[in-house]
Amino acid sequence: MNLKADLFPYPVMNPDLDDYVDNTSFDAEISVTKQSMTAVQVKGTFSLQNEGLKALINEGKASFALHIEGVASSYRKLCIDDSRRGVVEESIYIRELPKKLQVNALLVATKDIQEYTNTAFNSDFYGDDFVVDTIQKGDILAFLPTKDVNIDLNYANTSSESIFNVAAHDKEYMDVNLDGDTATVYLPKDVYTNYNRWGNIVNHKDYFISMIFIPALTYVIGEVRAKRVSPDLKWYVSLEEILDKSGINIENESAIVIAQQLLNNPMIEAIKHKFNEDV
Amino acid sequence: MYDMNSRIPYMTDEFLKQFKSEFLTTFAPLYKMGNVDALKAYFADPNNVVLSEHPYTYEALEVEPKEYDPDIVRRNIRRVWASLGFLTPAQAELEKIWVALAHTDYIDYQMGIYESQIAGINNLDKADRSLQSRTIFVNGNKRSLAIHNLSILWWLAYYFEDTQNEANPFHLLDFFFSTSYRGNAVALLSSNIISTQNIALGILEAVKYLVENEGLIPNRYAYSEPGRILNEIGGVRILDTLTREEIREISIDQLPKQGKKLQFKDPAEMAIENALTRNDADMVNFNKATTNNWGKTISVGPYNAMSPEQEDGDDEESWGFI
């Protein structure tokens, strides 16, 4: 869940909003640590200076919370600081674990709050005596920018080819399907058979990468740039990781150049092997 | 048929990869030729499929015919839940389990669905894609689970079994299955909003209420709009803090305000329907013309209204089956 510093129908504390004059008085340190090969712990340690909001917590009307959501997975959990310690901890196990988490640190209303007012409301926007009629249970009172966390438990694939799955079809041309969690390259049956046999052989690998994955990845990057694909898909998340690690911004270069860079420019070796064999 | 000695099967990663890669060229043709024995042979190979230690009581499913029969689906979902309800959500997300089950204990159901609902599709590409999407995961994980022949039933039961109703925990699903359910299931289960049982039950209860009391026609939008509304609300209000009842009330309040995407029956028609005595809306098979919000006349029976896409015959494609 990517919370945005957008317009709320009532004052909300956030560093990018001016609803409160002390808009940085809500803060949280979020850490994600590996507990074992099969689990990570997400921990949020909260701090809050605003007296009005602190009073709501003490009255049991509001609580600190972490909202944790897995990108490209069904994992989603709200973890509330019921004990008012200012700390929220949650362990996530590998069977549930997505590759990327979005973590939101929040202060949420845990009951309806009638006639809420706060001395720190920005009077430039709200005047001197602004009162919110009703804050409903679940309403966000304060939040921080969403924190994206990549989970690496040594099983994540990070190569450009790994975002693809290769399959066969009964057509005479190559096609790419981006609807699934793995991008699928469909090859004519005979090409698929040859790819399976020769695709990992050292002298032939670059040839197949040039013939198959350069055009496929060029297409993928074009679709990503045009925003015609869902960012929730696992291959999309993996590609973002790869681009990030490679320091490549897809807006700055042509798709075909980026595709070759990500695949380590295989064309030169492919041609060298091909024509040296023919000589 | 019951088998109390079944164990949950898992495809190996290698075989799953091969099965998906060669599905269109190697395995789909076996379906077309009706070569069940060849399919069974692949899945009987211990190098391809491993049996876990999880025993379960298998019960055969009835094949859904081409002409929709809600009672068959109602019986099937109870069987699937009785047999496989013990799976954890994490297990039930695994493609390697569902594809294995569909080609071992449930292969008669899998082949039956192909023959009754897919084999007759004239467009061969469309038929291939339909078979593919109902057999292996070709969309995002959530969507794929909502389309696969077996997992769709498990996940519907997981989210919508109402344990608060001791007399009939499946009462909401019995309502849901009153109309052809696959497209509506994709609309519901694909949404990231349906992430907790509270939210899921609240939404379905709201739709049921509006159908039965306000004449809402249960087309695809009736099931996709609640997710969209709650998604907007979720930007301000954390839905996970809300109870099922609160989700229900929000949905009942907001759905009728969504404009012409949602169709409501004419109040006079509602009055006639409500005046009829019946135990089950499906037992009454009358059709009366009514006018939807677009001014287009469509004929409806109880709960059998179609969305414009369904009327155009493109429902499988628009619902993401292909």
Side-chain angles (χ1 to χ4, degrees):
Chain A
M1 179 170 74
N2 217 342
L3 280 177
K4 293 178 187 164
D6 229 326
L7 292 175
F8 283 73
Y10 54 87
V12 172
M13 183 172 289
N14 174 273
D16 296 323
L17 292 172
D18 293 320
D19 292 349
Y20 285 79
V21 295
D22 59 343
N23 63 350
T24 57
S25 89
F26 171 70
D27 202 3
E29 191 181 310
I30 297 172
S31 62
V32 178
T33 50
K34 194 166 145 179
Q35 285 185 309
S36 69
M37 282 304 292
T38 57
V40 294
Q41 185 192 62
V42 181
K43 181 175 174 179
T45 307
F46 293 84
S47 64
L48 177 65
Q49 313 307 322
N50 180 281
E51 292 301 327
L53 291 173
K54 279 162 82 170
L56 292 179
I57 295 174
N58 292 334
E59 291 163 16
K61 294 178 181 174
S63 288
F64 295 124
L66 286 182
H67 188 274
I68 306 169
E69 194 163 325
V71 177
S73 92
S74 60
Y75 182 82
R76 177 187 168 124
K77 194 155 185 187
L78 179 72
C79 309
I80 293 185
D81 175 27
D82 292 317
S83 59
R84 297 187 219 160
R85 291 185 305 135
V87 176
V88 174
E89 291 170 308
E90 178 68 15
S91 291
I92 309 172
Y93 298 94
I94 192 168
R95 283 203 176 273
E96 305 168 306
L97 202 63
K99 292 178 71 165
K100 186 173 171 181
L101 295 175
Q102 286 183 328
V103 184
N104 289 290
L106 308 159
L107 179 69
V108 294
T110 51
K111 294 179 181 168
D112 286 356
I113 303 168
Q114 306 299 335
E115 299 188 342
Y116 168 62
T117 188
N118 195 301
T119 56
F121 285 161
N122 190 333
S123 58
D124 287 345
F125 301 131
Y126 297 104
D128 292 329
D129 299 304
F130 185 71
V131 177
V132 183
D133 253 356
T134 309
I135 298 280
Q136 291 178 297
K137 175 184 161 188
D139 281 350
I140 298 168
L141 294 165
F143 71 101
L144 295 175
T146 303
K147 179 165 179 160
D148 290 332
V149 180
N150 290 318
I151 306 294
D152 182 359
L153 285 177
N154 297 323
Y155 71 93
N157 284 319
T158 53
S159 74
S160 304
E161 288 160 68
S162 67
I163 70 169
F164 291 108
N165 181 44
V166 180
H169 67 175
D170 285 324
K171 308 285 192 298
E172 291 177 348
Y173 47 80
M174 182 175 104
D175 200 0
V176 180
N177 183 303
L178 299 179
D179 293 335
D181 276 328
T182 312
T184 303
V185 177
Y186 286 97
L187 298 176
K189 197 170 173 183
D190 289 343
V191 176
Y192 173 79
T193 303
N194 277 292
Y195 168 76
N196 259 353
R197 183 185 295 174
W198 303 109
N200 270 323
I201 304 295
V202 167
N203 284 359
H204 300 302
K205 188 170 180 176
D206 287 323
Y207 175 80
F208 281 98
I209 291 175
S210 300
M211 284 281 287
I212 296 170
F213 294 108
I214 287 181
L217 190 54
T218 302
Y219 170 70
V220 166
I221 292 167
E223 292 297 285
V224 168
R225 278 219 276 236
K227 296 185 178 14
R228 283 195 285 262
V229 288
S230 167
D232 291 338
L233 295 170
K234 286 180 180 162
W235 67 258
Y236 191 109
V237 175
S238 294
L239 180 63
E240 277 188 324
E241 262 177 49
I242 293 164
L243 289 166
D244 194 48
K245 282 185 181 165
S246 307
I248 293 174
N249 182 334
I250 63 169
E251 304 300 334
N252 290 350
E253 295 268 20
S254 73
I256 194 166
V257 168
I258 294 172
Q260 290 173 88
Q261 287 173 340
L262 291 178
L263 293 165
N264 296 318
N265 300 311
M267 198 172 287
I268 296 172
E269 288 300 307
I271 297 296
K272 191 194 295 182
H273 286 303
K274 171 75 178 160
F275 285 97
N276 280 345
E277 280 169 19
D278 285 352
V279 162
Chain B
M1 181 181 78
Y2 290 86
D3 182 349
M4 298 180 76
N5 296 316
S6 294
R7 287 192 287 154
I8 298 291
Y10 287 75
M11 292 168 85
T12 62
D13 289 343
E14 295 74 25
F15 180 50
L16 179 61
K17 187 176 174 187
Q18 180 200 350
F19 190 78
K20 293 181 75 162
S21 302
E22 298 175 22
F23 184 79
L24 290 174
T25 52
T26 302
F27 297 97
L30 296 178
Y31 276 83
K32 292 172 191 173
M33 292 185 291
N35 195 339
V36 177
D37 289 338
L39 279 169
K40 279 183 177 176
Y42 278 104
F43 284 82
D45 185 341
N47 293 311
N48 293 339
V49 174
V50 175
L51 292 179
S52 74
E53 294 307 311
H54 286 301
Y56 79 102
T57 302
Y58 162 74
E59 189 181 346
L61 303 183
E62 294 170 69
V63 174
E64 295 168 42
K66 193 167 171 58
E67 191 73 25
Y68 183 65
D69 185 337
D71 289 330
I72 288 179
V73 188
R74 288 170 181 144
R75 289 192 291 268
N76 277 346
I77 198 166
R78 284 163 167 83
R79 290 172 180 130
V80 165
W81 195 243
S83 294
L84 299 168
F86 67 90
L87 291 174
T88 65
Q91 289 169 324
E93 283 189 345
L94 293 176
E95 182 181 16
K96 59 173 78 174
I97 286 184
W98 292 115
V99 179
L101 282 168
H103 293 89
T104 52
D105 286 331
Y106 291 95
I107 192 161
D108 289 339
Y109 178 71
Q110 175 76 3
M111 281 299 292
I113 293 285
Y114 169 72
E115 281 155 14
S116 72
Q117 299 187 11
I118 300 173
I121 295 175
N122 288 332
N123 182 319
L124 295 179
D125 277 349
K126 205 168 168 176
D128 276 351
R129 291 198 301 275
S130 182
L131 172 60
Q132 190 181 34
S133 63
R134 293 201 199 191
T135 307
I136 55 177
F137 288 14
V138 293
N139 295 279
N141 211 60
K142 265 198 120 163
R143 196 170 180 83
S144 296
L145 288 167
I147 296 174
H148 186 276
N149 281 335
L150 287 177
S151 61
I152 184 176
L153 295 174
W154 193 95
W155 282 97
L156 283 171
Y158 173 76
Y159 278 118
F160 298 110
E161 185 203 18
D162 183 3
T163 52
Q164 286 182 13
N165 187 320
E166 289 181 6
N168 181 11
F170 288 88
H171 71 107
L172 289 171
L173 284 162
D174 287 343
F175 155 75
F176 183 69
F177 292 136
S178 299
T179 53
S180 184
Y181 70 99
R182 283 185 171 267
N184 295 335
V186 172
L188 270 179
L189 297 178
S190 298
S191 167
N192 285 330
I193 289 295
I194 306 289
S195 55
T196 68
Q197 281 147 322
N198 268 354
I199 295 173
L201 288 165
I203 288 174
L204 188 50
E205 273 191 319
V207 172
K208 182 172 186 282
Y209 173 85
L210 289 168
V211 166
E212 292 177 348
N213 296 283
E214 308 290 337
L216 174 65
I217 294 173
N219 60 20
R220 182 173 65 160
Y221 293 116
Y223 292 103
S224 63
E225 282 301 284
R228 188 188 63 76
I229 294 163
L230 290 169
N231 198 31
E232 287 179 1
I233 292 172
V236 174
R237 202 168 169 195
I238 301 297
L239 301 175
D240 310 66
T241 62
L242 303 178
T243 63
R244 162 183 167 176
E245 289 73 24
E246 287 164 334
I247 295 286
R248 176 182 179 268
E249 291 311 308
I250 291 171
S251 301
I252 288 173
D253 181 56
Q254 293 295 318
L255 265 176
K257 298 174 184 171
Q258 299 315 304
K260 57 184 187 178
K261 274 185 181 175
L262 296 175
Q263 303 174 61
F264 286 83
K265 291 178 187 173
D266 185 87
E269 298 296 334
M270 280 287 295
I272 293 170
E273 284 179 30
N274 289 338
L276 291 172
T277 302
R278 61 180 187 267
N279 292 323
D280 179 345
D282 295 322
M283 297 299 293
V284 177
N285 188 22
F286 76 92
N287 286 285
K288 276 188 166 277
T290 192
T291 304
N292 66 15
N293 291 349
W294 288 274
K296 187 176 175 183
T297 301
I298 56 175
S299 75
V300 296
Y303 304 148
N304 72 347
M306 293 184 290
S307 70
E309 290 81 8
Q310 285 168 283
E311 287 181 60
D312 292 339
D314 285 338
D315 44 306
E316 283 220 345
E317 199 149 14
S318 67
W319 291 339
F321 292 175
I322 54 175

